[in-house]
């Protein structure tokens, strides 16, 4: 009753707009902060990065230099080196991370006393920050006081300068990422495993399928969307490795761990070559974008096809 | 009869034992860096630098914590970070809920196009726009002595606003909450509409209380994300009085290179809040990973 009276009073004001329009106006009001945020901190920066990449902006002066930043990006050996490092990082990190994460997920996907404790323990590395992970692993890799070299000595192998040897540094940093990353992907795989209907396994058992056959013909195909999702995110994040490199090696030794992101940071904020760094950032953007589109178009078609 | 029955039991028992041993061995490897951090934090420096590696400290000392706190104001860094993370978590929850609700449950022209644009932005690596975001922060109008055109001052550089404004909300948060709001049934909304509730009333009094689990998930992700944030503070903050924990720790590391005791003590202290938040909110985190991971 009161609402009816309330409505009658409010009527003259609201009669001007049909309910559907009013509803839409409210919706625009609800997304207005997001749109403002999006324009200022996402859209504008992308456009600005594009514009800057054609200048020699160094925080004091800016002049139009055409394509020369891009020419430099394509010809300078430091860029090629950084690109090779980035790709090697991804090629080592992604398969290793995904294989271990899937293995762990299969291992902890069972009803067992105390299994929650193991899941938590495996997830624990995810909770460290990049800076803490970088510092702790630097301590683990330490030549004299670190346990990794102590274990090597124990089995009679010579200790290594993990982070100071150009042949080892990149692998050493990859290992930190693997350690820090598998727990998260394990959880995603686990969530995926738990959506697979138990009846499929029962049917496979009745058909006499062994454990490997059940994995190959039930788990693996059913898990494809999850695997695909993890792979796409892993590809994108492999290009964004910065924190642990900044903390552990500063891109060294001899540029062995200088990835594209690190080169961009160095050029922009240490040498204030903002224009050149923006061109590099755009090259990175194009690579990641191409990779994401390739993944979405090619792999998602395969995901649907195999279902 | 008895022998036939006990053979499979013995085999099952052995298999269980092997499983547990595997689980424990993997746990040891993955937890070792944590153990090393904490053990070193409590070791005496004689044991840290002993020629023969000390796995288990013989005496526990708080010296390293004392040294770390005397060498750098980690309490101040923690307060700065709590302030910034608290504000960002609150604004992120509010603005992402508004937008996530609109995208998930309201009908308006351009909704799908805008949402696709958002998804694309989520794939964009933040580092690509690091430079222009820094420049926008520096030339932010009417902040830090800047005029309306963003000239004359330092803008958002060296201010907490410089950390907060670019992270006022997140596209990820909008996505997460949109996924959640879409799963809610229509009945409650319809009932509220018949009762004459306004659009705001439906959102604020009916839908938002139902979204508490999703909000908890987003809140935990946001808070721990800001606590662990490193790159943006590195770019924006020069004044040690304004440092956030990760930046403070990294500067401390560069100044005390292999002084492992205090370094591990500081690392331990800084890791504790995130681990506590995880242990308390574990179920929300697992749910969040499942939601974004599978329906994405």
């Amino acid at each position: 009753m009161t609402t009816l009276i309330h409505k009658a009073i409010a009527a003259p004001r609201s009669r001007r707009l049909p309910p559907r329009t009013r509803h839409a106006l409210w919706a625009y009001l609800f997304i207005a902060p997001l749109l403002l945020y999006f324009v200022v901190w996402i859209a504008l920066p992308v456009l600005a990065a594009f514009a800057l990449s054609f200048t020699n902006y160094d925080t004091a002066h800016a002049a139009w230099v055409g394509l020369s930043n891009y020419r430099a990006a394509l010809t300078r050996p430091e860029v090629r080196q950084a690109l090779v490092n980035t790709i090697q990082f991804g090629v080592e990190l992604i398969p290793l991370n995904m294989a271990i994460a899937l293995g762990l997920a299969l291992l902890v996907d069972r009803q067992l006393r105390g299994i929650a404790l193991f899941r938590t323990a495996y997830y624990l590395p995810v909770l460290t920050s990049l800076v803490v992970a970088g510092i702790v692993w630097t301590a683990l890799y330490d030549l004299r006081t670190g346990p990794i070299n102590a274990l090597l000595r124990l089995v009679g192998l010579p200790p290594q300068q993990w982070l100071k040897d150009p042949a080892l540094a990149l692998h050493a940093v990859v290992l930190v990422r693997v350690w820090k990353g598998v727990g998260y992907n394990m959880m995603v795989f686990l969530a995926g495993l738990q959506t697979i209907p138990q009846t499929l396994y029962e049917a496979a058992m009745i058909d006499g399928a062994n454990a490997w056959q059940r994995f190959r013909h039930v788990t693996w195909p059913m898990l494809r969307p999850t695997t695909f999702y993890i792979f796409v995110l892993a590809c994108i994040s492999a290009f964004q490795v910065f924190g642990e490199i900044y903390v552990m090696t500063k891109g060294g030794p001899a540029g062995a761990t200088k990835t594209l992101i690190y080169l961009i940071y160095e050029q922009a904020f240490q040498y204030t070559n903002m224009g050149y760094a923006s061109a590099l950032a755009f090259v990175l953007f194009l690579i990641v974008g191409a990779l994401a589109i390739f993944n979405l178009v090619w792999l998602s078609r395969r995901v649907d096809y195999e279902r | 009869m008895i022998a036939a029955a006990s053979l499979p039991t013995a085999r099952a028992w052995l298999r269980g034992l092997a499983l547990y041993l595997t689980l424990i061995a993997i746990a040891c490897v993955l937890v070792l860096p944590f153990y090393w951090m904490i053990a070193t934090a409590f070791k005496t420096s004689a044991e840290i630098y002993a020629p023969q590696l000390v796995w288990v400290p013989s005496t526990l000392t708080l010296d390293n914590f004392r040294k770390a706190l005397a060498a750098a104001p980690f309490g101040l860094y923690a307060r700065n970070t709590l302030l910034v993370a608290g504000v960002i978590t609150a604004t992120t929850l509010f603005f992402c809920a508004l937008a996530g609700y609109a995208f998930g449950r309201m009908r308006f022209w351009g909704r799908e196009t805008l949402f696709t644009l958002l998804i694309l932005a989520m794939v964009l690596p933040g580092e690509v726009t690091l430079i222009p975001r820094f420049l926008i922060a520096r030339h932010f109008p009417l902040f830090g002595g800047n005029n309306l055109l963003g000239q004359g001052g330092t803008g958002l550089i060296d201010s907490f606003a410089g950390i907060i404004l670019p992270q006022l909300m997140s596209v990820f948060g909008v996505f997460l909450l949109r996924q959640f709001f879409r799963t809610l049934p229509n009945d409650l909304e319809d009932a509220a509409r018949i009762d004459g509730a306004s659009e705001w009333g439906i959102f604020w009094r009916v839908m938002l209380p139902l979204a508490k689990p999703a909000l908890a998930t987003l809140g935990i992700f946001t808070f721990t994300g800001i606590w662990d944030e490193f790159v943006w503070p590195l770019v924006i903050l020069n004044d040690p009085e304004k440092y956030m924990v990760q930046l403070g720790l990294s500067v401390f590391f560069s100044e005390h290179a292999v002084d492992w005791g205090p370094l591990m003590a500081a690392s331990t202290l800084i890791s504790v809040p995130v681990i506590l938040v995880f242990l308390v909110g574990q179920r929300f985190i697992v749910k969040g990973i499942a939601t974004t991971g599978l329906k994405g």
Side-chain angles (χ1 to χ4, degrees), chain A residues 28 37 113 120 122 129 179, chain B residues 20 23 30 109 124 166 246 282:
Chain A
Y28 288 125
Y37 172 83
R113 188 187 290 267
T120 305
Y122 296 175
S129 71
W179 173 74
Chain B
Y20 271 110
L23 285 166
L30 287 175
W109 184 83
L124 179 81
Q246 307 297 339
Q282 196 165 6

Side-chain angles (χ1 to χ4, degrees), chain A residues 61 65 68 171 209 223 241 283:
Chain A
H61 315 281
V65 295
S68 79
H171 310 300
L223 214 50
V241 183
V283 170

Side-chain angles (χ1 to χ4, degrees), chain A residues 82-105:
Chain A
L83 205 57
V84 168
N85 287 344
T86 307
I87 290 169
Q88 184 167 4
F89 202 96
V91 167
E92 287 182 24
L93 173 68
I94 297 168
L96 206 58
N97 184 329
M98 289 182 71
I100 297 175
L102 179 58
L104 290 181

